[in-house]
Amino acid sequence: MEFNIDSVTQRAISKYPERALDIVRSFEERKVKAKTRMIMKLNHYQATGTLPNCIQRINIVGGWYGNIIIPLIDKFLNYKEINFYEIDKTALSIAQNIYFPDRLNIKWIQVNANKLEFSGNDKLTINTSCEHMAPLKIQSGYVALQSNDYEDVEEHFNCVDNPQELVDQYGLTKVWYADTKNYKDYNRFTVIGRK
């Protein structure tokens, strides 16, 4: 799936010029490829019966603008609804009002997700920015996580050194996928499993 600066993104940048660089960064090739790899793995696990045929709810935590992750989920996963959690009020507004207006199956929630508890054996919680926050309180359910060891970024206060460290932080009881992708400056880790 290719992503380009389309007319919707142009509208977002026009309305929020102070966010232009941040929005453009959301389209960085490495970020898109990492999210795509994760969703394709989830697609595989849904096709083979590891994940339910229809996921009742997908919790997207720290979803930024949603402009990459939501189209991938729409294309490759079968689900009923999304709860989209984002602490950044402006990012949430751009996601809800510009990228995905009138989406009745998405609940938009501005909150610090670390204050919440996630549970439900038929739910999937996705966090592709674990390095930006403390580990989520997930009591039960399917989990897909991404983090990195890129400590040179000030906002990355919860980096990990390997996939196992991410598994341990979240206390996963089953792990189906744990991967490391090496980039020039850092490693990105992907873990899929359940609690």
Side-chain angles (χ1 to χ4, degrees):
M1 187 178 264
E2 283 192 30
F3 294 91
N4 298 297
I5 306 280
D6 57 16
S7 61
V8 177
T9 300
Q10 290 170 13
R11 190 161 61 249
I13 290 171
S14 176
K15 187 167 182 181
Y16 296 90
E18 73 283 2
R19 288 293 180 114
L21 182 57
D22 198 50
I23 293 170
V24 169
R25 283 183 176 148
S26 72
F27 287 94
E28 285 179 359
E29 184 179 8
R30 291 185 283 194
K31 290 181 175 74
V32 172
K33 284 185 175 179
K35 289 176 174 69
T36 302
R37 275 194 303 275
M38 172 186 273
I39 298 302
M40 294 309 297
K41 280 293 175 185
L42 291 168
N43 170 271
H44 166 76
Y45 291 125
Q46 194 166 52
T48 57
T50 303
L51 286 173
N53 182 47
C54 181
I55 301 164
Q56 293 303 301
R57 180 190 306 140
I58 298 176
N59 300 310
I60 301 174
V61 178
W64 210 2
Y65 303 107
N67 52 337
I68 307 301
I69 195 80
I70 291 174
L72 287 168
I73 288 170
D74 285 346
K75 183 169 183 177
F76 294 109
L77 296 180
N78 186 24
Y79 71 96
K80 278 196 174 179
E81 62 184 16
I82 290 174
N83 279 6
F84 189 93
Y85 301 92
E86 175 55 56
I87 196 169
D88 181 332
K89 184 177 181 180
T90 303
L92 186 72
S93 179
I94 292 169
Q96 179 179 3
N97 299 310
I98 297 180
Y99 278 109
F100 305 99
D102 306 319
R103 283 292 296 268
L104 300 178
N105 67 336
I106 302 178
K107 186 175 181 182
W108 306 96
I109 305 160
Q110 191 214 346
V111 67
N112 178 346
N114 285 126
K115 296 181 178 180
L116 305 176
E117 286 191 1
F118 297 88
S119 63
N121 288 326
D122 56 353
K123 313 290 191 305
L124 167 65
T125 300
I126 297 175
N127 184 354
T128 61
S129 52
C130 294
E131 67 276 11
H132 288 270
M133 63 189 79
L136 300 170
K137 298 177 188 80
I138 301 176
Q139 302 303 317
S140 60
Y142 302 97
V143 183
L145 307 166
Q146 287 184 331
S147 189
N148 61 50
D149 59 4
Y150 196 22
E151 296 180 350
D152 292 344
V153 178
E154 186 178 338
E155 297 84 21
H156 291 185
F157 69 88
N158 187 35
C159 291
V160 294
D161 293 324
N162 53 61
Q164 186 59 49
E165 193 175 335
L166 191 55
V167 169
D168 294 343
Q169 276 192 354
Y170 278 80
L172 300 186
T173 55
K174 290 185 181 175
V175 177
W176 300 305
Y177 182 75
D179 180 61
T180 301
K181 179 68 175 172
N182 177 258
Y183 296 111
K184 182 180 172 185
D185 304 324
Y186 64 93
N187 293 299
R188 175 162 286 279
F189 311 113
T190 302
V191 170
I192 298 173
R194 73 163 302 137
K195 275 197 86 168

